[in-house]
Amino acid sequence: ADMNVLDSTGTMQAKINDLVPTSQPYGFPPYDYVGSESVVSVDTNVVDWVLVELSNPLNNDAVFAQQAAFVLTDGSIVSTTGGPIVFVAPQVTWDVSIRHRNHLATVTDAPIDFSGGAGSFNFIDGWTGTPLGMKALGADKYAMTPGDANKDQSVTYAGLGNDRTAILSFLGGIGNTVN
């Protein structure tokens, strides 16, 4: 199905915007996020929710802070108020990860310096190395790799741990299709 893809201007389409939940969808495994982010209604320029994480640059499994946020059609990630994401965290360097419920996660290729109280990273074109979990769109632009339906951090069609089975199960079986 052609759901959220780039249009001719290079922005994501939000064709399924009416299906984006009003509350953050990460309160279950493998995320187990306990945040309470929600909105009364979802703006039309919202593509979906993402989970933003700050972690120790020496150990990405050591997550210090998390926040659910929106990804917009231009690729920017904002808080539920539409402004910047704000973390209460020590002013040091952090790896910043972006997780999505049906894409491979991605993490900055170098720690981001928050020592001045704020830090930022452009996940679309701010890479100095090969982006992890990202798909090249051309002209040094990247997007998260889609298809991780079973949330095991790989995209596999056949064999053990494949995503095809999870997708077909969600659709109700092998005979189902989506237009």
Side-chain angles (χ1 to χ4, degrees), residues 30 103-104 147-156 160-163:
H103 288 68
L104 293 178
D148 186 17
N150 64 7
K151 317 247 183 310
D152 67 353
Q153 287 301 296
S154 68
V155 178
T156 307
L160 292 175
N162 69 70
D163 296 286

Side-chain angles (χ1 to χ4, degrees), residues 28-39:
F28 57 90
Y31 311 104
D32 297 318
Y33 173 60
V34 296
S36 60
E37 293 90 343
S38 65
V39 293

Side-chain angles (χ1 to χ4, degrees), residues 2-5 7 11-20 43-48 71-73:
D2 181 19
M3 301 286 191
N4 294 323
V5 296
D7 64 18
T11 59
M12 287 184 281
Q13 299 178 41
K15 291 182 178 182
I16 59 170
N17 174 271
D18 58 329
L19 300 177
V20 175
D43 289 341
T44 57
N45 66 336
V46 169
V47 175
D48 205 354
V71 61
L72 305 180
T73 54

Side-chain angles (χ1 to χ4, degrees), residues 1 8 13 19 29 57 66 68-69 77 106 108 119 122 134 136 152 154 161 168 173:
S8 61
Q13 299 178 41
L19 300 177
Q66 297 175 301
I77 297 174
T106 189
T108 51
N122 185 335
M134 301 293 276
D152 67 353
S154 68
L168 289 174

